[in-house]
Amino acid sequence: MPSFARFSPAGLMAAGRHLAGLGPFGIDALSGSLGRSGSLEVRLARGPREIWRAQRLRYRVFYQEMSAKPDVVSRMFRRDADRFDAACDHLLVIDHAARGRFGGIKPRVVGTYRLMRGAAAERLGGFYSQSEFDIGPLLARHPGLRFLELGRSCVLKPYRTKKTVELLWHGIWAYVRHHRIDAMFGCASFDGVDPDMLALPLSFLHHNATAEGPWRVEALQDQRVAMDRLPAGMIDAKAALKTLPPLLKGYLRVGARFGAGAVIDRQFGTTDVLVILPVSAIEQRYLDYLGGEGQRYNA
C-alpha cells in the first residue's frame, strides 16, 4: 500500500494559507479548480477518463518505478486499479503545459491522491486500510465523527517538488473543509519487506508516536509485524528521523500518530504502517497558518 508523495509540513502550512481565500463552500465548490500555480492545477477528477489517467500514473510509479508486482490484468492495461476506485474521489495535479509525444501541448496528470469517505466505505463493506488494520473499533468509538481515508498518493518523478505537494495538500484541505472531515487516516509505507532492516524507524514510531486511548488501532493479528524491534534506550532519535520517508516524517511533525503493529505488503514490496490524524490534533502553529490570507494557489 504505497504512498510516495513527498509531503512536508511546509506544504501543509502553505495549503492552509492559500485555502483561506476560497471562502464558504457551496454545493458545487469542489467541481471546479481548487488551485493553480503556473501551469499546474489541482482539482478532482471529472469522470472515468480522468480516473483512468490517475490509475495509469499510479501504475507507472508503483509498478514501473518502484517494486510492486502487477497481476495479469494490471500488466495488460498498465493501470493500478481496484474495486475501491469507483467509490472514491480522485484528487489530481494536472500540468497544462506538458508536451505530448509529437511536441504539442497535452495536459498531463502528474500527481494524485485517492480520497475515501465513510459513506463510500459503507457501500463497499469497509475502507481499503481494513485489509491490513482493524479500523472497526476506531470507527465505533467515534460514531459522530467524519473520517477520510487518504491513499494511493503518488507524484511523477520530475514533479516531486514542494510546489506539487503543496498543491495536493491545498486540494485536500479544500476537501476536508467542504465535507467537514474530523479525522484522516491511511496507510503509509517503507520500502522493503524485511522489518529487521527497518528496526530503527519502526521502533522509533512505536516508542514515540503510537496512537493510544480512543485513537488506538491494531494491525490485523494474522498479518501483524511487531514494531518494537529495539528497546527505547537504544534508539537515536535524530538518526531515526533521518530514516523516515518524507511522507511519514511530515505526518509526524503535524501531529499524526500511528497504529500498533506494521504489515508486510509483498505485492508492493513495502512495510505498511497506519497513519491516524485527527484534525483536532494538528499542532496549533500549523492551524494558525490555516487562518492566513495567502492567495498564491487560489484558482
Side-chain angles (χ1 to χ4, degrees):
M1 295 186 182
S3 295
F4 295 111
R6 296 181 63 85
F7 166 71
S8 70
L12 175 59
M13 292 190 291
R17 292 199 301 270
H18 311 316
L19 192 60
L22 292 177
F25 292 112
I27 191 168
D28 295 323
L30 296 181
S31 63
S33 179
L34 300 179
R36 293 198 67 136
S37 179
S39 66
L40 299 182
E41 176 189 20
V42 62
R43 61 173 173 81
L44 294 178
R46 300 168 183 166
R49 184 171 181 82
E50 290 193 340
I51 295 174
W52 178 84
R53 290 176 177 172
Q55 293 168 339
R56 289 294 297 266
L57 172 63
R58 283 157 33 184
Y59 184 90
R60 178 168 180 174
V61 173
F62 299 153
Y63 293 91
Q64 295 182 323
E65 179 183 342
M66 307 297 182
S67 56
K69 301 173 183 177
D71 58 23
V72 173
V73 175
S74 296
R75 185 182 295 111
M76 180 182 301
F77 293 100
R78 295 184 177 273
R79 293 166 55 209
D80 170 58
D82 63 24
R83 68 187 184 91
F84 294 94
D85 280 327
C88 294
D89 288 314
H90 299 261
L91 191 66
L92 311 177
V93 172
I94 299 168
D95 183 1
H96 290 280
R99 299 281 178 176
R101 67 175 65 182
F102 300 112
I105 298 294
K106 185 178 181 181
R108 184 180 194 184
V109 173
V110 300
T112 187
Y113 246 106
R114 188 168 75 177
L115 312 176
M116 188 176 190
R117 288 179 285 135
E122 288 177 7
R123 291 196 300 271
L124 292 175
F127 288 99
Y128 177 78
S129 302
Q130 288 180 269
S131 64
E132 293 187 347
F133 295 91
D134 188 10
I135 305 293
L138 172 70
L139 304 178
R141 289 193 295 266
H142 302 281
L145 298 190
R146 297 181 178 93
F147 284 86
L148 176 67
E149 183 183 57
L150 305 178
R152 285 301 204 266
S153 62
C154 64
V155 174
L156 195 62
K157 192 170 185 178
Y159 294 87
R160 289 174 196 163
T161 64
K162 178 182 176 182
K163 180 170 69 173
T164 307
V165 177
E166 284 183 355
L167 275 169
L168 281 168
W169 276 91
H170 184 69
I172 288 171
W173 276 103
Y175 194 92
V176 165
R177 285 182 58 188
H178 179 74
H179 291 292
R180 299 179 182 179
I181 298 299
D182 298 298
M184 294 170 277
F185 69 92
C187 293
S189 305
F190 293 92
D191 286 333
V193 295
D194 183 352
D196 288 330
M197 296 296 293
L198 300 167
L200 180 58
L202 290 177
S203 300
F204 174 81
L205 292 179
H206 171 84
H207 291 296
N208 296 282
T210 298
E212 298 293 353
W215 296 101
R216 186 175 179 86
V217 176
E218 302 275 351
L220 294 177
Q221 286 300 316
D222 61 344
Q223 301 180 61
R224 180 189 175 110
V225 171
M227 294 174 64
D228 56 338
R229 312 191 81 79
L230 298 173
M234 290 183 60
I235 297 172
D236 181 330
K238 290 184 178 179
L241 285 169
K242 289 180 181 179
T243 66
L244 291 179
L247 181 70
L248 278 164
K249 192 181 300 184
Y251 280 132
L252 184 65
R253 286 174 176 169
V254 299
R257 289 297 179 260
F258 297 83
V263 173
I264 304 300
D265 187 333
R266 298 196 180 278
Q267 180 188 0
F268 283 96
T270 59
T271 299
D272 298 338
V273 295
L274 187 75
V275 180
I276 306 158
L277 180 58
V279 172
S280 62
I282 298 174
E283 294 186 13
Q284 188 60 46
R285 57 185 174 136
Y286 300 117
L287 290 175
D288 289 343
Y289 280 97
L290 297 179
E293 298 180 353
Q295 304 290 321
R296 183 169 58 174
Y297 293 154
N298 283 356

